[in-house]
Amino acid sequence: MFFKREKAKESTFSTQLDRLRSAGYTVEASGSQTRVVKGKLGALVQARADVDQDDQNLALCEVGLVVGPELALLTDLGFQKIFMTPSGKKMPALAEHLVALHAFEEDFREDAGLTSLYNHGLGTTNEKHLYDRVKDRDHGVPTRPWETN
C-alpha cells in the first residue's frame, strides 16, 4: 500500500484576511500594512511575496494594544514593561494585558494559518528593549577608571 501525502496549500494574502474576517477580526487596510483588530488588541500585517512571486503570504509585523487610532507596542524598560504608541503615549503593561496579548497572538496565528513557534509559546516577547545599564557594552572594552590620565 502506498499513501500519498497531501501537499500543503499555500494561502494567498487575501484568503488569509478572509479567514481572519470569518473568525471575528476587523480588517482595515491602511497603506502598505493592514490593521487586524479583535477586542482591544490588534496586529499590523502586510503581504509578503514568496520566492515564486506568484503567491503572497501574510507577514505578521507588530502585535499590540489598540489605543484610539494607534497600536501601542510592548516595550521593555528592563524593570517594567510598558505599551508605547508611535505618538509617545505610555501606559504600564499589566499582567492581564500580557496574558491577553499572548492569547491574541496564538489565536491570530492559528486563525491566519501561520506557524506558531515554541519560543513565542513560552511567554510574551518583544523587539523593543529600551533599557541597558551597561554603558558602551557593544563598543569594545570601555575605558576603566584607573586607565584615565
Side-chain angles (χ1 to χ4, degrees):
M1 279 191 217
F2 294 100
F3 296 101
K4 185 177 178 183
R5 288 190 179 175
E6 296 281 330
K7 288 188 176 181
K9 264 185 134 175
E10 287 291 324
S11 298
T12 62
F13 183 65
S14 59
T15 58
Q16 285 180 315
L17 289 181
D18 291 338
R19 286 176 63 182
L20 290 170
R21 280 189 192 99
S22 65
Y25 293 85
T26 305
V27 178
E28 306 164 353
S30 61
S32 65
Q33 292 185 333
T34 304
R35 184 171 146 174
V36 181
V37 177
K38 188 172 190 179
K40 294 187 176 191
L41 298 166
L44 290 176
V45 297
Q46 67 183 20
R48 182 185 64 210
D50 266 349
V51 179
D52 308 334
Q53 298 293 327
D54 294 337
D55 291 337
Q56 291 199 337
N57 297 13
L58 183 128
L60 182 61
C61 298
E62 297 170 339
V63 179
L65 189 68
V66 177
V67 179
E70 296 180 305
L71 188 67
L73 301 179
L74 186 64
T75 306
D76 194 352
L77 298 179
F79 56 92
Q80 180 183 8
K81 289 184 185 266
I82 63 169
F83 285 102
M84 187 184 311
T85 64
S87 66
K89 292 180 188 175
K90 297 177 185 177
M91 59 185 296
L94 305 176
E96 53 266 14
H97 291 147
L98 299 177
V99 169
L101 185 68
H102 178 68
F104 172 81
E105 189 169 353
E106 284 295 313
D107 292 342
F108 179 86
R109 288 183 178 281
E110 183 179 335
D111 293 337
L114 298 175
T115 304
S116 182
L117 302 173
Y118 176 73
N119 61 338
H120 287 281
L122 292 176
T124 307
T125 60
N126 66 324
E127 298 297 323
K128 295 183 100 181
H129 189 84
L130 298 180
Y131 175 79
D132 193 359
R133 61 185 173 168
V134 182
K135 186 178 177 185
D136 296 329
R137 180 185 71 176
D138 296 331
H139 302 301
V141 180
T143 305
R144 295 180 178 102
W146 60 85
E147 294 176 343
T148 58
N149 293 331

